[in-house]
Amino acid sequence: MTGVKFPELDQLERIIDQLGARAQVDVVTQIQYYDIEFPIYCISVGSTELDAPVLGFFGGVHGLEKIGSEVILSYLQTVAQLLDWDREFLNRLERMRLVFVPIVNPVGVYLGTRSNGNGVDLMRNSPAEGSGKRRLYSGHRISARLPWYRGSKVAMEMEAQALCSVVEHHLFNSPLSIALDLHSGFGVRDRLWFPYASKKTPFTFIAETVSLKERYDCCYPHHIYTIEPTCKEYVINGDLWDYLFDEFVEQFGSERLFLPFTLEMGSWLWLRKNPMHLFLKHGLFHPILPHRQQRILRRHFMLFDFLQRSLLYPEQWTKLDQQQRQLNINKALRLWYE
C-alpha cells in the first residue's frame, strides 16, 4: 500500500496498532485491484466464549457511502480509549464481544464508487431474489456499466463472501447476536431497517424486533430513528442480510437469535440544506461540511450503547410467552405490513 492515499484504511491501521494485543485482528481476504492489494480487516474485542452475545458493525459496503466506515472508525477509536480506563466497559466486554469490519468494500471506498472494482453492487450480489414488482435499482444482471449490477449467478464477489464469513463465524456461532450495517443516501430521516428487503412479509424474529423497538422508544422517546422493515421503502434482489438471515434460520431455526439491522443515514437532509453539494462526488451520500460530519460521527453512539446493553440483558425482549409473541406480531402487521 506504499504510496497509495487511502485515509480510511490508514486510520483503521493506526487504530489497530493502538489496540495492540487487546483485540483480535484478522485479514479476512485481500482484494486485488490492478497492482494494489487491499485488505479487508475484521477486528474483535471482548469475550472469546462461544456463548457470549455479539454485536457486529459493518461499513463501506457501498464505497460511495464512506460515512458508514467513518462512523465505525470513530466509534472504534472511542473503544480503544475506553479500554485504557473504563472499568464498567471492561466488565461489559468480559461478557460480550464487539466485531468490526469497517471497510467491507475497500476498492469502492478508495475509488469513491458504489460498486466494487468489478462494477458489482455488493448489496445486490447474493442469490436472494426479490418478489413482486421490481425496478432497475432493485438489482439486475444486464451490464456492469449500469448501477445496481448484481454480478455473476455462479459465485458472490470476494467482498460479499468476506462479510458472510465474518457473520457466520462470529454471529451465527453465538446464541444471541445483532449486526448493524451502516449506509447513507436515502431519505431525510435516519432509519433502522430490518429484514426483509426482498419481500413484504414479516421475518422470523419480528416479535422480538417489536419488543426491542418498544424498549428503545421507552428509553429514548425523542430518538431520531424510523424503525421499519426495508421493504417498507423498496424491494430489491440480492440483499446480503436477507441471504444471511435465511441461511441462519435454515441452520438454527429459533434455537438462536440473530437480528441484522441496516442503519440508513438520511443524507437528503444534508443535501436539502446545501443543494449545491449534489454536484460534488460524495455530495448525495456524505456530509460535506466539517461541522456536519463531526455531528454524524458522534450521532449514533447512544444507539450502539443501547444495543450492547440489550444484548447483555435480553430477558425482557427475547423471552416472550405465546400471548406476548402474538400481540407483537399483530402490532407489526398493523405498523408495517397492512
Side-chain angles (χ1 to χ4, degrees), residues 164-178:
C164 290
S165 70
V166 170
V167 172
E168 289 163 357
H169 175 69
H170 284 283
L171 282 74
F172 281 17
N173 284 326
S174 168
L176 178 60
S177 59
I178 293 176

Side-chain angles (χ1 to χ4, degrees), residues 15 29 39 43 60 74 86 103 106 146 158 175 208 231 236 246 265 293:
I15 296 171
T29 191
I43 302 99
S74 176
D86 190 331
I103 308 174
L146 297 174
M158 290 179 64
E208 289 83 359
C231 64
I236 65 172
D246 284 344
M265 289 174 272
Q293 183 177 0

Side-chain angles (χ1 to χ4, degrees), residues 28 125 155-166 168 240:
V28 187
N125 186 226
M156 289 191 291
E157 296 292 296
M158 290 179 64
E159 299 91 340
Q161 293 182 46
L163 183 150
C164 290
S165 70
V166 170
E168 289 163 357
L240 288 173

Side-chain angles (χ1 to χ4, degrees), residues 230-243:
T230 312
C231 64
K232 185 83 173 173
E233 302 300 337
Y234 51 68
V235 173
I236 65 172
N237 301 309
D239 185 88
L240 288 173
W241 297 110
D242 283 13
Y243 168 75

